Structure formats: C-alpha cells, structure tokens
Amino acid sequence: MVDTARDFSGSIPEHYDTILGPAILERMAADLVRRMPVRPKSEVLELACGTGILTQRLRERVDASFRVVATDLSDDMLAYARTRVKGKIDWRKADAAALPFKEQTFGAVVRRLGVMFVPKKQKVFPEARRVLVEGGLLRFNSWDSLEVNPEGRAAAELMDGMFPGDAEMQFTRIPFGFNDETTIRRLLDDARFADVRIDRVAYEVKAPSARMLATGQVRGTPRAALFEKRGVKLDDVIDRLAERLASLGGAEPYRSERRALVVQAKAI
C-alpha cells in the first residue's frame, strides 16, 4: 500500500523541481555542497536525492574519479532525476534506514532534507555510519522549527483550519519537526559520529509570485494527493495559501526566508 503522505509520484517531481527548486532548494544544495571536500576518502552516497537538485552539484563538486551514488525511495523521483542530471551517476532505489550497500563503502554520505520524513530516525544514522569508512563524512540539513519559519507556519495553520483534527494532514508540520540540537547530537553520538557541528542558517526564498510558490508547495508535494483524497480542489487550496504567503513576502514578486540546520559529523 502506498503511503500517501510520502508519495512523490505523478506530476509532483516536475512541480517540485521547476518551482521549489529555484525558489529555495537550489540555494540549500549549493550551501551543503560547498561543505564537501573535492576529494573525500572514498565514494559519495546521496540519500533521498529527489529530482537530483543536490546530485548535480555533487557531481560538479566532487572529483570525477570518485563514484557518486544517488538513491531515493521514489521511482518517479529517480526517473525524473535521470533526465535532468548531467554526468556519471550510479542511480539506485534505496531505503535510508536499510541501505543495500556493504560496510565501509563510502567516504561521504550526504542528504538534502528528507531525514525529517523518516519515521524511525534512530535507524538512519547507524546505517549511514555502517556504510562509511572510518573518518568518513556525514552532511545533511533539516528545516528549523515552525516558530522561526513563518512561511511554513502559514501553510500548517491553513491545513489546521481546513482539516481540524485530521491527523494525516499534519504532514504539513512534519518537515519542521527535526531540529532539536540535543536530540540530533544524541542520535549521532549513539551511531558513532563525532566532531558534530550544527549551524543554523537562513536561506532566501524567491519566486515570481506568491501564487507560483503556493502552486509548488501544493502540487510539488504529497499534499496534492491528500487534498484530492478528500475531494478538495487544488486550485482552491493554492489560492488560499497564496493569499497567506503574499501577506508575508508580497504577491508579485515573492521574497521571504527559510531557516534551517546544517549538520556535519565524522564517522569514528
């Protein structure tokens, strides 16, 4: 059975890539990749590669003699990524909590967002450590809390108002639920990572209009399937969300910021 709240099929990859990519995700990827060495200790593994936004930058950053393996759980995301990323990439379908790779295979494991959606996070970091060589690098980012992300809070509050008491629609809050530094450090320590560094950063959000950004946030995420499942017209939701976003960053063009955590650690 497909988990609707994590289903990135159909037209979702295109909306995700062409709207959310230039609006914010490209800048997040650039910041994460600049923290990567050109020549890591061994091959590079990307988790939850999505449409390949980070993958492309990794391939451009990392020395061509090092293999880059890009993985995702979604066949549709992987299919889309293959069409957009230039350069030699080893594409694999894989679950970050149960990686199909031998121990000590990679010199770096990288993940742009995604860790927030894994139900059992205590399994993700031990798996990353298992496939890393000693001294290998872990790099990932995660959204900061809703309290410091008004744009995310606006969407969450809209869902709460439209679907009060609907637990499945809490999906809107999930991306902002993994940002407690104490918890992150404990999970990394338990998985045998050291030299942990957590930076709190702000990224500019830019879109031609609030409505375009709202379109990306609705049609470019599993929210679209959740709305349709309830018989709600997507354009109606987009209109409501666009109005809220416009009050934060203007109707046309749209400008705001998102706050996130960037985490760096070393396998010991």
Side-chain angles (χ1 to χ4, degrees):
M1 180 180 295
V2 175
D3 182 350
T4 307
R6 294 176 177 83
D7 179 17
F8 286 83
S9 61
S11 63
I12 290 177
E14 181 178 1
H15 286 98
Y16 179 95
D17 190 68
T18 61
I19 299 177
L20 299 182
I24 177 62
L25 302 179
E26 291 282 1
R27 283 179 285 286
M28 292 190 74
D31 179 50
L32 195 59
V33 167
R34 75 174 178 80
R35 301 167 191 261
M36 285 285 296
V38 174
R39 294 183 61 83
K41 285 180 171 290
S42 187
E43 302 170 345
V44 177
L45 172 65
E46 181 186 1
L47 304 176
C49 69
T51 60
I53 291 172
L54 177 65
T55 317
Q56 183 66 69
R57 291 182 177 274
L58 277 174
R59 186 64 284 175
E60 294 168 355
R61 169 75 171 174
V62 176
D63 188 286
S65 63
F66 289 81
R67 184 174 67 132
V68 173
V69 181
T71 69
D72 202 281
L73 263 179
S74 169
D75 290 320
D76 292 77
M77 284 293 210
L78 285 170
Y80 188 96
R82 286 189 179 97
T83 68
R84 81 178 296 278
V85 178
K86 299 177 182 179
K88 189 175 181 180
I89 304 292
D90 185 355
W91 302 100
R92 299 284 295 274
K93 182 174 181 178
D95 182 348
L99 294 170
F101 304 108
K102 295 180 179 179
E103 295 181 1
Q104 301 183 44
T105 299
F106 299 98
V109 172
V110 191
R111 183 166 190 158
R112 181 191 56 77
L113 302 175
V115 69
M116 308 93 68
F117 299 104
V118 180
K120 295 182 179 180
K121 295 177 179 59
Q122 68 272 21
K123 291 187 176 182
V124 173
F125 300 117
E127 272 297 275
R129 175 61 188 90
R130 182 182 66 79
V131 301
L132 277 169
V133 300
E134 185 174 345
L137 306 177
L138 175 67
R139 301 283 188 269
F140 71 91
N141 49 26
S142 179
W143 293 122
D144 210 331
S145 68
L146 283 174
E147 286 68 29
V148 296
N149 278 300
E151 179 191 305
R153 189 166 66 247
E157 290 173 350
L158 176 61
M159 298 306 103
D160 290 343
M162 293 181 66
F163 308 99
D166 189 333
E168 193 174 31
M169 294 309 292
Q170 291 297 307
F171 172 80
T172 308
R173 296 181 176 272
I174 293 175
F176 303 92
F178 188 63
N179 44 63
D180 180 74
E181 289 194 28
T182 300
T183 299
I184 293 171
R185 290 181 182 277
R186 175 177 55 78
L187 289 169
L188 290 172
D189 182 64
D190 290 346
R192 294 188 295 124
F193 284 98
D195 297 341
V196 177
R197 173 176 173 176
I198 301 177
D199 295 329
R200 292 185 180 267
V201 299
Y203 299 108
E204 185 180 18
V205 181
K206 299 191 297 183
S209 69
R211 194 176 197 285
M212 177 172 285
L213 182 61
T215 300
Q217 291 188 2
V218 172
R219 294 186 180 274
T221 73
R223 296 171 187 168
L226 294 174
F227 292 133
E228 291 176 334
K229 180 179 176 182
R230 287 158 178 76
V232 178
K233 293 182 178 180
L234 297 187
D235 282 342
D236 290 345
V237 182
I238 291 170
D239 288 341
R240 293 190 191 189
L241 181 55
E243 183 178 356
R244 288 175 177 252
L245 292 177
S247 69
L248 296 173
E252 190 175 337
Y254 178 86
R255 298 289 186 273
S256 67
E257 71 174 19
R258 282 276 190 109
R259 294 187 175 273
L261 280 68
V262 181
V263 183
Q264 305 177 76
K266 181 183 294 186
I268 58 174

